[in-house]
Amino acid sequence: MTERQMPEGPFSGGCQCGAIRFHALALRDNPHVCYCRMCQKATGNLFAALVGVRHEHLTWSRGAPAEFMSSEIAARGFCSNCGTSLYYRAQGGPHVSISIGAFDEPQKIALWYQLGMEGKHPSLFHLNDIEEAGTTESNESEYDIARIRKSNEQHPDHDTDVWTARPGVLR
Ligand SMILES: [Zn+2]
Ligand SMILES: [Zn+2]
């Protein structure tokens, strides 16, 4: 069996609007998806994709996430400005499980296992059989794509010196 290797740090990431940014010096060897019902609701999606970052390796470099205590033992962190789901944290645990999609380069973090199989959505077993399209090949018109590009409020996938909430963005 080939040894699996975690990618070398440091890593950066943040929420969609950029109010929350983080740095991770190293990742734990547990990148996974979880299909359990609590992860589904916490992300509003079919699964959470998470990787552990030890507390001593994690810095919130801009802003501070809000937390919802999803049970007595666990908190779910998110950006209170844009709503991005940022982490799962077990009370007293050694690490924070950060949303892989929130990293600036999520494609560098390969998944190693899947949890909560009882909650896995039936269609996810057949993803390779479902029709595929790239973002710009979907139903959006050229006009709409140009408007999305022009008005894109998503923070870029790298650290920035300043961030200002633009008036009128929050509704
Ligand atoms: Zn945000
Ligand atoms: Zn879960």
Side-chain angles (χ1 to χ4, degrees), residues 78-162:
F78 61 97
C79 173
S80 59
N81 194 40
C82 72
T84 299
S85 168
L86 290 168
Y87 63 78
Y88 164 90
R89 178 177 69 78
Q91 292 267 53
H95 64 251
V96 177
S97 296
I98 303 278
S99 300
I100 293 176
F103 282 81
D104 288 333
E105 298 178 294
Q107 68 280 4
K108 286 191 173 168
I109 305 167
L111 297 171
W112 285 16
Y113 53 90
Q114 38 191 336
L115 301 175
M117 289 302 289
E118 73 288 345
K120 188 167 177 175
H121 189 281
S123 290
L124 293 178
F125 289 97
H126 311 289
L127 273 187
N128 288 339
D129 307 325
I130 296 174
E131 190 182 328
E132 300 177 347
T135 305
T136 53
E137 299 161 27
S138 60
N139 292 329
E140 259 112 21
S141 66
E142 291 285 321
Y143 175 67
D144 280 344
I145 289 167
R147 286 174 68 203
I148 292 167
R149 290 216 172 100
K150 207 174 105 202
S151 61
N152 187 353
E153 293 293 345
Q154 181 159 302
H155 189 274
D157 280 330
H158 55 76
D159 287 330
T160 51
D161 291 337
V162 287

Side-chain angles (χ1 to χ4, degrees), residues 40-72:
Q40 287 179 339
K41 290 296 268 190
T43 58
N45 225 308
L46 300 182
F47 54 84
L50 301 167
V51 64
V53 179
R54 288 184 181 278
H55 295 295
E56 63 269 28
H57 292 159
L58 181 65
T59 311
W60 296 101
S61 51
R62 184 192 294 152
E67 285 193 339
F68 171 66
M69 297 299 298
S70 55
S71 73
E72 268 183 21

